[in-house]
Amino acid sequence: MEASWLETRWARPLYLAFVFCLALGLLQAIKLYLRRQRLLRDLRAFPAPPTHWFYGHQKFLQEDKMEKLEETVEKYPCAFPCWVGPFQAFFFIYDPDYAKTFLSRTDPKSQYPYRFMTPCLGKGLLNLDGPKWFQHRRLLTPGFHCDILKTYVDMMAHSVNTMLDKWEKICSTQDTAVEVFEHINLMALDIIMKCAFSQETNCQINGSLDPYVKATVELGKIIFYRMYNFWHHHDIIFKFSPNGHLFQELSKVLHQHTEKVIQDRKKTLKAEMKQDNTQKKKYQDFLDIILSAQAENEDSFSNADLRSEVNTFMLAGHDTSAVSLSWLLYCLALNPEHQERCREEIRSILGDGSSITWDQLGEMSYTTMCIKEMFRLIPPVPSISRELSKPLTFPDGRSLPAGITVVLSIWGLHHNPAVWKSPKIFDPLRFTKENSDQRHPYAFLPFSSGPRNCIGEQFAILELKVAIALILLHFKVTPDLTRPPVFSNHIILKPKHGIHLHLKKLPEC
């Protein structure tokens, strides 16, 4: 009996297509199986917490309970493998000797989470590697020289006072509970816009309705969620997901904001060139230095590089500062004896705080110890990661092959009971000179260490000192025990539902 027309014309091609797809699927399954077996072999020297066969430690990673990480650090000394799905593993370390070995190398940053940040930030210092990173670092370092930072003190104080004026209107003479993180976040954005980009904004007046502020908050959540959801590691799957669509829309908001900042400055510079230059600024801000770097290195510093560095510093510079100050206030609210000692020190140096100088901030030794202890107890950036470019052998003889993603858990390091006595207790005296000299140099790494340490460290410390000094001179802070903060373990350790504190206006001295 003759085969039907349908069989001869359509069935065979469909059958061949099915067999081809099946073969491709089988090859991919074999590839993934071999990858898993290789990872199991490479990591067998390091015990790990119990894991789900399919999801791995995804639930553990996506939960916001840092206490579970502390339990793991105590149970598994030095390090442990952490599985994200069945075919991807990160290697977490939190031992000072391991950290020293790891940070003394020049391994490239891992694709997680930086690959997921590139579409919104571009390729800046945060996610560049190799000669390109070195070039950008060299060109931008002058922007953080102490002579330039000194000029920022008055501008920082002005932004902080704007926030304090808002608090005074809210509190009057009453002891009032306020969600302070939202206010501090806007204040930090105001500071970065004034100091780094010489832009006066109304963000502290417009509040959280500011589109840029909303976009930065939501983007951080999406990037973190994607990092620990292995299905969304695939660009196509993520792009067509609801989060992928939202990510693209929010990235546009960031890019438009950045482009406006750059174009406004270029227009200002052109206007100044047409005039007699008598009204030029007394100092170069961050954007001036980037534009100068581009003018001198047009072939190697493109417009895309310019936008990336502005994006990076604008986002990283205000986000981490806001989180740091919020957690510092919370720590001092929980520890009134340390808060009062800081206040006494600040009053003895600044008086009523009507004027603040760079040199005066350098005298605030106890306040500086409290800032460092906050960075230890609640590191705003809880981890950093690198992808090994060559095998790594740790001091105890155990080793990892090239290609493994190593995550330095700064939270785990700072809460490691083998390194810190009573790590959950807020104790600024850990940072007296005597105690610091006795400690392992890689036990405290809030800004990382080595060649890729944070370029904005001194800017962040300066902002914290100015802000905490003015706040403590004007307000007493106590915790709202009915609404304790919850950690939101994203790329930056934010308070999930804000930080609620009681603010009490202090009488004028």
Side-chain angles (χ1 to χ4, degrees):
M1 183 173 165
E2 290 186 15
S4 69
W5 179 85
L6 181 64
E7 285 180 299
T8 57
R9 295 292 298 273
W10 295 102
R12 186 171 296 174
L14 285 173
Y15 175 74
L16 290 174
F18 172 75
V19 171
F20 179 72
C21 291
L22 188 65
L24 281 180
L26 185 60
L27 286 172
Q28 183 65 18
I30 293 171
K31 182 181 175 182
L32 290 172
Y33 173 78
L34 293 175
R35 174 182 172 81
R36 178 174 173 82
Q37 293 305 307
R38 186 178 71 251
L39 283 170
L40 288 169
R41 183 183 69 248
D42 292 340
L43 298 171
R44 66 180 180 273
F46 301 92
T51 178
H52 187 276
W53 71 272
F54 186 71
Y55 293 108
H57 297 104
Q58 189 169 314
K59 186 178 179 182
F60 162 73
L61 289 167
Q62 289 183 337
E63 285 185 346
D64 292 321
K65 296 179 180 177
M66 302 303 288
E67 296 84 0
K68 288 197 173 183
L69 178 57
E70 292 172 12
E71 292 171 8
T72 305
V73 167
E74 194 164 358
K75 189 172 182 180
Y76 300 91
C78 302
F80 73 94
C82 190
W83 289 84
V84 183
F87 311 114
Q88 176 67 46
F90 298 156
F91 188 76
F92 276 65
I93 64 172
Y94 35 79
D95 174 81
D97 288 318
Y98 272 43
K100 181 179 180 180
T101 304
F102 172 61
L103 292 175
S104 63
R105 295 162 40 118
T106 56
D107 297 294
K109 290 204 170 186
S110 70
Q111 60 175 324
Y112 308 102
Y114 304 107
R115 178 169 70 88
F116 307 143
M117 298 166 70
T118 300
C120 63
L121 291 184
K123 285 272 191 177
L125 277 182
L126 192 64
N127 48 6
L128 279 173
D129 282 301
K132 186 88 170 176
W133 171 85
F134 182 80
Q135 179 211 26
H136 281 221
R137 177 84 178 208
R138 178 177 55 81
L139 292 173
L140 300 179
T141 295
F144 299 92
H145 191 277
C146 65
D147 288 339
I148 289 180
L149 295 180
K150 287 177 183 179
T151 65
Y152 295 160
V153 173
D154 287 341
M155 285 180 280
M156 289 178 174
H158 184 269
S159 293
V160 176
N161 283 323
T162 300
M163 181 183 73
L164 296 182
D165 289 343
K166 288 167 60 179
W167 286 3
E168 284 196 27
K169 291 175 183 176
I170 295 170
C171 299
S172 186
T173 56
Q174 300 298 314
D175 184 338
T176 307
V178 176
E179 197 291 284
V180 298
F181 178 66
E182 180 181 350
H183 296 268
I184 292 172
N185 193 34
L186 293 168
M187 182 269 294
L189 178 58
D190 194 26
I191 285 177
I192 207 76
M193 294 302 291
K194 283 179 181 174
C195 295
F197 307 108
S198 299
Q199 283 215 341
E200 291 288 340
T201 70
N202 292 317
C203 64
Q204 294 207 65
I205 308 302
N206 295 337
S208 57
L209 297 176
D210 189 294
Y212 177 80
V213 175
K214 292 173 69 176
T216 58
V217 172
E218 292 304 316
L219 279 168
K221 293 178 183 177
I222 293 172
I223 291 169
F224 182 82
Y225 174 79
R226 185 184 182 190
M227 183 168 60
Y228 292 119
N229 184 319
F230 64 92
W231 291 114
H232 283 182
H233 287 186
H234 300 279
D235 291 337
I236 294 176
I237 294 176
F238 177 72
K239 184 177 180 180
F240 290 101
S241 70
N243 269 342
H245 177 72
L246 180 59
F247 181 86
Q248 292 176 56
E249 293 300 314
L250 294 171
S251 295
K252 288 179 185 176
V253 174
L254 249 69
H255 296 161
Q256 289 167 0
H257 185 85
T258 302
E259 191 62 29
K260 184 179 184 304
V261 169
I262 294 170
Q263 294 307 321
D264 286 351
R265 174 56 56 82
K266 286 184 174 180
K267 288 177 185 176
T268 302
L269 290 174
K270 283 182 181 178
E272 285 179 353
M273 289 175 66
K274 291 178 181 178
Q275 296 172 356
D276 58 3
N277 289 342
T278 56
Q279 297 181 357
K280 286 185 76 172
K281 292 186 300 180
K282 295 179 181 178
Y283 67 94
Q284 277 197 320
D285 63 20
F286 181 76
L287 187 51
D288 288 325
I289 288 167
I290 297 181
L291 288 170
S292 297
Q294 187 188 35
E296 295 170 9
N297 303 268
E298 288 185 25
D299 295 336
S300 57
F301 201 91
S302 65
N303 285 327
D305 292 330
L306 173 65
R307 287 191 295 270
S308 297
E309 294 301 355
V310 172
N311 269 332
T312 299
F313 192 64
M314 197 182 296
L315 184 62
H318 106 264
D319 231 8
T320 51
S321 295
V323 168
S324 300
L325 179 57
S326 300
W327 289 126
L328 176 59
L329 266 184
Y330 179 66
C331 289
L332 293 177
L334 286 177
N335 298 274
E337 68 281 11
H338 298 302
Q339 180 185 157
E340 189 55 39
R341 188 165 171 183
C342 285
R343 185 177 289 112
E344 289 172 0
E345 177 184 70
I346 292 163
R347 277 180 178 159
S348 69
I349 296 168
L350 299 182
D352 62 0
S354 57
S355 66
I356 303 178
T357 67
W358 171 274
D359 292 335
Q360 286 174 322
L361 294 171
E363 297 173 27
M364 291 163 43
S365 58
Y366 193 79
T367 304
T368 301
M369 288 194 289
C370 287
I371 290 172
K372 288 182 178 180
E373 176 63 352
M374 175 278 299
F375 278 130
R376 183 203 66 81
L377 191 63
I378 312 176
V381 179
S383 63
I384 58 173
S385 58
R386 304 278 189 273
E387 186 173 314
L388 298 184
S389 57
K390 56 185 179 181
L392 170 65
T393 300
F394 293 111
D396 58 10
R398 293 186 290 182
S399 61
L400 295 173
I404 294 286
T405 296
V406 178
V407 178
L408 170 57
S409 173
I410 297 173
W411 177 282
L413 177 67
H414 289 182
H415 288 77
N416 190 337
V419 179
W420 303 92
K421 184 180 179 182
S422 305
K424 294 183 181 181
I425 294 174
F426 183 83
D427 180 12
L429 296 179
R430 300 179 198 271
F431 291 95
T432 61
K433 187 179 185 308
E434 181 184 1
N435 287 335
S436 296
D437 289 344
Q438 293 174 358
R439 193 163 46 244
H440 195 294
Y442 283 78
F444 178 64
L445 299 171
F447 295 95
S448 187
S449 185
R452 293 204 68 145
N453 68 323
C454 176
I455 193 173
E457 177 178 353
Q458 293 307 314
F459 182 95
I461 296 292
L462 176 65
E463 183 176 340
L464 279 175
K465 286 183 177 181
V466 171
I468 199 64
L470 290 173
I471 291 171
L472 294 185
L473 284 176
H474 293 87
F475 288 93
K476 179 180 179 181
V477 294
T478 53
D480 182 348
L481 298 177
T482 64
R483 290 180 287 187
V486 177
F487 293 120
S488 182
N489 185 15
H490 295 161
I491 297 167
I492 296 173
L493 200 59
K494 297 183 178 182
K496 193 170 188 177
H497 307 297
I499 294 180
H500 298 268
L501 300 177
H502 290 278
L503 302 177
K504 183 177 181 181
K505 181 75 173 70
L506 296 173
E508 298 293 334
C509 294

